[in-house]
């Protein structure tokens, strides 16, 4: 029965909450997967399973120590995890279970060794931008706020009602505001549950939240910069 449970999980393939690893030979690289799972919905790594779902098995306890180093040394703050061993066809598969974190953002070294935060999108680990990191910080602090509809906010919301989505650069140009001010507006609107981020491998889009929480709204108006 245990073997069937593992085989059923493998049959799901790689997805938002599951990843296969044939072997672990770089603890910094695996830290990016741990960071992504912790920052998103949690998930599991199946060590000793190839990308095509074939069971290869782990060779020694070295894989566990590599995971431990990734979670406790390379992830900041460290990422808690649990393990479970599966014995199938005379081979051992090590399951690493990562819960969704309340302490995000968790960072991990990028290819240059610089700490970056990642999220899990489908079967990919994608680096996030500063906007989402600041939203996470606000959520962790439990800070509230008031949504003030000024010129740029009004322009943005009107555009989204018509077009459905917008990129960061498009918002800056359309509202004629600095990138720094655009970041502050997007951080506030996402934190207030008015907007959501649609993160893809190539681009990040901003959309209206289909399930918004009723915000406290102020009606101030403000002319764009330069007027």
């Amino acid at each position: 029965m245990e073997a069937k449970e593992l085989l059923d999980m493998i049959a799901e393939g790689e997805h938002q909450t599951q990843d296969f690893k044939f072997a672990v030979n770089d603890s910094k690289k695996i830290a990016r997967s741990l960071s992504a799972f912790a920052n998103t919905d949690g998930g599991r790594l199946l060590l000793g399973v190839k990308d095509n779902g074939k069971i290869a098995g782990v060779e020694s306890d070295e894989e566990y120590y590599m995971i431990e180093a990734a979670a406790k040394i390379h992830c900041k703050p460290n990422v808690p995890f649990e393990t479970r061993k599966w014995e199938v066809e005379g081979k051992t598969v090590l399951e690493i279970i990562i819960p969704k974190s309340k302490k995000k953002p968790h960072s991990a070294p990028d290819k240059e060794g610089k700490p970056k935060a990642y999220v899990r999108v489908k079967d990919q680990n994608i680096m996030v931008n500063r906007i989402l990191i600041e939203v996470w910080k606000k959520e962790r602090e439990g800070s509230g706020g008031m949504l003030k509809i000024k010129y740029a906010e009004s322009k943005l919301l009107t555009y989204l009602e018509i077009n459905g989505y917008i990129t960061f650069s498009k918002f800056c140009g359309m509202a004629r505001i600095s990138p720094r001010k655009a970041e502050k507006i997007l951080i506030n609107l996402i934190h207030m549950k008015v907007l959501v981020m649609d993160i893809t491998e190539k681009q990040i889009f901003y959309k209206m939240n289909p399930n918004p929480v009723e915000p406290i709204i102020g009606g101030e108006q403000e002319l764009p910069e330069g007027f």
Side-chain angles (χ1 to χ4, degrees):
M1 292 301 293
E2 283 194 356
K4 183 179 183 306
E5 187 179 345
L6 174 63
L7 294 175
D8 286 345
M9 288 193 293
I10 293 174
E12 294 175 8
E14 295 180 310
H15 51 69
Q16 182 105 348
T17 58
Q18 180 166 282
D19 198 7
F20 300 155
K21 293 295 178 186
F22 168 54
V24 180
N25 47 33
D26 185 343
S27 59
K28 291 182 179 179
K29 183 177 180 180
I30 205 71
R32 295 197 283 272
S33 292
L34 301 183
S35 162
F37 280 129
N39 287 335
T40 314
D41 298 318
R44 60 178 173 254
L45 293 173
L46 296 179
L47 305 185
V49 178
K50 295 184 178 181
D51 289 343
N52 62 5
K54 183 177 180 181
I55 297 175
V58 293
E59 297 181 357
S60 67
D61 291 335
E62 184 65 25
E63 279 83 357
Y64 174 84
Y65 296 116
M66 294 285 281
I67 293 292
E68 189 174 47
K72 295 184 178 180
I73 297 174
H74 300 303
C75 289
K76 305 292 182 183
N78 63 55
V79 172
F81 67 92
E82 297 178 358
T83 61
R84 185 177 181 184
K85 278 189 176 181
W86 300 87
E87 300 294 337
V88 180
E89 302 169 2
K91 298 174 182 177
T92 300
V93 172
L94 185 61
E95 180 183 1
I96 309 298
I97 305 161
I98 306 99
K100 180 178 180 179
S101 178
K102 295 181 180 179
K103 296 181 179 181
K104 57 188 179 183
H106 294 268
S107 67
D110 65 7
K111 293 180 180 179
E112 283 71 46
K114 298 178 180 178
K116 302 291 183 180
Y118 297 82
V119 291
R120 184 80 175 171
V121 179
K122 296 181 179 178
D123 62 349
Q124 298 291 318
N125 302 323
I126 299 179
M127 189 185 301
V128 302
N129 60 15
R130 187 166 58 184
I131 291 172
L132 185 53
I133 289 174
E134 291 301 318
V135 170
W136 284 339
K137 288 180 180 179
K138 280 180 172 287
E139 291 175 349
R140 193 174 61 196
E141 294 164 0
S143 57
M146 176 180 287
L147 176 59
K148 295 182 179 180
I149 303 298
K150 300 183 180 180
Y151 175 86
E153 287 86 348
S154 178
K155 191 87 171 175
L156 172 61
L157 296 178
T158 300
Y159 182 92
L160 290 176
E161 287 288 346
I162 297 170
N163 298 281
Y165 66 90
I166 195 170
T167 63
F168 181 78
S169 59
K170 176 69 176 179
F171 175 40
C172 291
M174 178 195 67
R176 286 183 280 177
I177 56 177
S178 68
R180 185 171 181 82
K181 185 169 184 179
E183 279 189 355
K184 288 183 178 180
I185 290 171
L186 291 171
I187 290 167
N188 187 45
L189 290 176
I190 295 169
H191 177 60
M192 297 290 290
K193 311 300 183 185
V194 176
L195 301 185
V196 293
M197 297 176 70
D198 185 0
I199 302 173
T200 70
E201 192 172 357
K202 296 182 178 180
Q203 184 65 279
I204 295 177
F205 301 97
Y206 301 88
K207 301 179 177 181
M208 296 293 292
N209 187 349
N211 301 299
V213 175
E214 194 71 26
I216 301 173
I217 300 177
E220 297 182 28
Q221 294 294 323
E222 182 182 81
L223 291 174
E225 293 179 355
F227 274 54

